[in-house]
Amino acid sequence: MPQPDSVIQLRGAALSLGGNAGTVEILRGIDLTVRCGETLGLIGPSGSGKSSLLMLLGGLERATGGQVQVLGQDLTGMSEDALARFRRDHMGVVFQSFHLIPTMTALENVATPLELAGRADAFDRAAEELEQVGLGHRAGHYPSQLSGGEQQRVALARAAAPRPEILLADEPTGNLDEANGAAIMDMLFGLRDRHGATLVMVTHAPELAARCDRTVPLRDGLIAGGPA
Ligand SMILES: Nc1ncnc2c1ncn2[C@@H]1O[C@H](COP(=O)(O)OP(=O)(O)OP(=O)(O)O)[C@@H](O)[C@H]1O
Ligand SMILES: [Mg+2]
């Protein structure tokens, strides 16, 4: 049973991926509870499984063992369509490699999830979100015309625009200078403070980790120190 105020609950969650080179056990039994409105930082060395864990939470990878419950729903049993709808309705996800749609401008990228959510003011809202991340003047540019840090800010604006209950972000300040990193942090914590969002972020940045309610360290596909 999920704990009453838990938004995310993992029990023995495992992820193995097979390829030509054999099966890799990427996550080896994760027990993790995230409470409503909590800000959690996932930390740990490269290759420890941080991005993979975020993919499990976002339903973008399916656990090969254990349970992954989000908002009381078991993601492991959902169809791809149901997962996509669930993500659209409840979550924003920012990947380590942004995943912007290359044939759409920055504005169109940000407006798309708002349109999918049926918002009549999708483009106005998208323009405001881009302003917020300091990219109002680049709204008409395509991802290939933007720097890595600019693409990252577009991806954040896109994830935050529908005001998701849960925001998952992989190194959201990773490619940014101090000023832009601080602006992004303010935007992320604004989502929490103004809209009560639950944030789970992978981060190597000490300033970001310090602002999280809690950090959880991963090592070799496990939570170092046991259930968190
Ligand atoms: N599709 C895949 N097939 C096989 N192994 C994979 C796959 N994706 C990731 N891995 C392996 O799983 C492990 C965890 O990867 P993951 O990307 O989650 O690490 P990370 O903690 O996010 O690292 P980084 O800080 O470098 O981003 C790594 O050893 C990686 O090589
Ligand atoms: Mg990673």
Side-chain angles (χ1 to χ4, degrees), residues 144-167:
S144 62
Q145 299 171 312
L146 302 171
S147 74
E150 286 166 348
Q151 291 180 48
Q152 184 171 29
R153 284 185 278 156
V154 175
L156 274 156
R158 178 177 64 179
R163 305 281 177 259
E165 292 151 80
I166 300 172
L167 185 81

Side-chain angles (χ1 to χ4, degrees), residues 2 15 18 31 34 36 54 78-79 123 152-154 157 189 195 203:
L15 178 67
D31 293 309
V34 185
C36 187
L54 215 61
M78 272 191 206
S79 69
F123 279 84
Q152 184 171 29
R153 284 185 278 156
V154 175
F189 287 97
H195 305 283
T203 187

Side-chain angles (χ1 to χ4, degrees), residues 12-54:
L15 178 67
S16 307
L17 291 178
N20 296 336
T23 302
V24 189
E25 286 185 51
I26 298 174
L27 299 171
R28 301 187 293 136
I30 303 278
D31 293 309
L32 174 68
T33 303
V34 185
R35 289 186 307 278
C36 187
E38 190 174 27
T39 303
L40 191 85
L42 292 174
I43 59 174
S46 180
S48 57
K50 305 179 299 294
S51 297
S52 305
L53 178 53
L54 215 61

